[in-house]
Amino acid sequence: IAIHCKGGKGRTGVMTAAIMLWSGHRKTALDALELFTFRRTTNYNYALGLDGTYNNFISKEPCNQTVEGPSQIRYVHYLEAVLYSNIDPFEVSRVLFKEFEVPVGIKRQKKPWYISYTVRCCRALQFDSLTLYQDVHVFGGVAGEVLHFPVDLVVWGDVRLEIFRHKKKSAKAPRVLLFFTVFNTTMYKGKSEIPFEKLWIDKLHKDRTNKTIEEDFYMTIKLSENVEDSEWIMVEKRFEELVKSAGTKRTFAKGEVVLREGPVHRHLMLIESGDVEAMHY
């Protein structure tokens, strides 16, 4: 079996460790990751273990070739939880992603960031703050203050939260990925929040000299199992009630044209059952 990716240690390490766990060759995620690191590194340094950033920040000695991405490591531990904690990985756990919060440090008090953020669910884009608010958010203020960024989105499965930085306070300014995290909702059933320390946030985990942000930075994702609390779900329900009370019910045959949209007419439709395909001529 040959496993590879671009660098041969991130995604490759995740899959190799997962296979060792699943097959029983290693009993824990940590053991599987350590064995991969040992086999992947030519001159393995026992003192470093899973620390793959040693040569960049502490010493000039060669570093161990290991899985470094926090989210990648997290998913290997997820598999361990599936094997030993009776977690069904195929269960769809829908939760309300209410918001995420971050603290303001000295760096952001002196020089605020202008940010936007997106949420992907099962790799598909579900939320973009730029699209919704048409503006950037200010990540700054008084040191010690906790900022809350709203999401209000029902999510399930693999969820990726991405935070982007804009060069200036404008929604039209180019944005670059600042940091991100990936998690799976099934692993947090019954939880109202997911805390992430700096070293467990992708991209920020490489900031070992704390040049980008303070060492004690963290991010907390707020969840609710009551998806009915979502403002968008409430709007959808009110729309459904309105259409059912004031609209006309119709049944269409397979292949029948439901609507031909003209330049003047506007229609609201609620599909109760079946599928509708849109075609443009």
Side-chain angles (χ1 to χ4, degrees):
I1 299 176
I3 304 174
H4 213 287
C5 58
K6 184 178 181 180
K9 63 176 184 175
R11 287 162 292 179
T12 298
V14 170
M15 293 306 300
T16 304
I19 291 173
M20 288 191 286
L21 263 179
W22 188 262
S23 64
H25 186 61
R26 280 295 182 270
K27 299 300 182 183
T28 68
L30 186 60
D31 283 347
L33 289 167
E34 284 183 335
L35 180 57
F36 167 78
T37 304
F38 175 74
R39 295 297 187 186
R40 176 66 176 81
T41 307
T42 302
N43 297 309
Y44 182 79
N45 187 329
Y46 289 91
L48 300 183
L50 295 178
D51 189 353
T53 56
Y54 191 87
N55 69 326
N56 294 325
F57 304 107
I58 304 175
S59 171
K60 296 300 181 181
E61 298 177 9
C63 63
N64 290 338
Q65 300 299 302
T66 186
V67 180
E68 295 182 21
S71 292
Q72 293 177 330
I73 297 172
R74 185 176 303 118
Y75 270 73
V76 179
H77 284 276
Y78 282 169
L79 179 56
E80 180 183 323
V82 168
L83 293 174
Y84 301 124
S85 301
N86 297 319
I87 294 177
D88 182 2
F90 301 107
E91 179 184 355
V92 178
S93 298
R94 299 172 74 241
V95 297
L96 176 61
F97 187 161
K98 297 165 59 178
E99 64 178 17
F100 67 93
E101 61 180 37
V102 293
V104 178
I106 297 297
K107 294 180 184 295
R108 299 290 74 77
Q109 176 176 286
K110 296 179 178 179
K111 187 177 181 180
W113 280 340
Y114 304 116
I115 68 168
S116 60
Y117 49 97
T118 64
V119 177
R120 294 180 179 273
C121 186
C122 299
R123 302 184 70 177
L125 181 64
Q126 301 291 334
F127 176 94
D128 190 333
S129 64
L130 275 186
T131 303
L132 182 61
Y133 301 112
Q134 299 294 309
D135 201 0
V136 296
H137 292 265
V138 178
F139 182 178
V142 180
E145 179 184 0
V146 177
L147 303 179
H148 301 262
F149 297 99
V151 177
D152 191 38
L153 178 72
V154 177
V155 295
W156 62 93
D158 298 319
V159 180
R160 178 181 173 114
L161 170 63
E162 299 174 311
I163 288 79
F164 298 87
R165 182 183 178 186
H166 296 249
K167 291 185 177 181
K168 56 183 179 180
K169 193 177 181 181
S170 170
K172 295 182 179 180
R175 63 180 182 178
V176 295
L177 182 61
L178 189 59
F179 58 87
F180 69 93
T181 191
V182 186
F183 63 94
N184 187 284
T185 59
T186 303
M187 302 296 163
Y188 302 95
K189 290 184 64 176
K191 301 292 185 181
S192 60
E193 62 180 41
I194 309 175
F196 296 94
E197 296 180 356
K198 177 182 175 180
L199 290 180
W200 287 100
I201 301 175
D202 293 84
K203 298 202 75 170
L204 288 185
H205 73 288
K206 295 183 178 181
D207 181 33
R208 297 296 183 92
T209 57
N210 306 313
K211 181 179 180 180
T212 302
I213 206 161
E214 289 79 9
E215 183 179 8
D216 59 353
F217 176 81
Y218 67 88
M219 177 174 66
T220 304
I221 290 177
K222 299 289 186 176
L223 304 174
S224 172
E225 289 192 314
N226 188 5
V227 297
E228 305 298 327
D229 290 342
S230 170
E231 180 181 346
W232 299 109
I233 295 293
M234 295 179 184
V235 170
E236 288 178 3
K237 283 189 172 182
R238 288 197 291 268
F239 170 71
E240 183 176 345
E241 292 171 357
L242 175 63
V243 174
K244 284 184 176 180
S245 63
T248 302
K249 187 172 184 177
R250 291 189 58 185
T251 302
F252 296 90
K254 183 177 181 180
E256 183 180 353
V257 176
V258 177
L259 177 68
R260 280 190 169 88
E261 185 70 22
V264 177
H265 303 290
R266 295 290 183 268
H267 302 269
L268 290 175
M269 300 187 67
L270 173 65
I271 311 300
E272 289 191 291
S273 63
D275 299 305
V276 176
E277 181 179 357
M279 299 184 68
H280 178 71
Y281 297 95

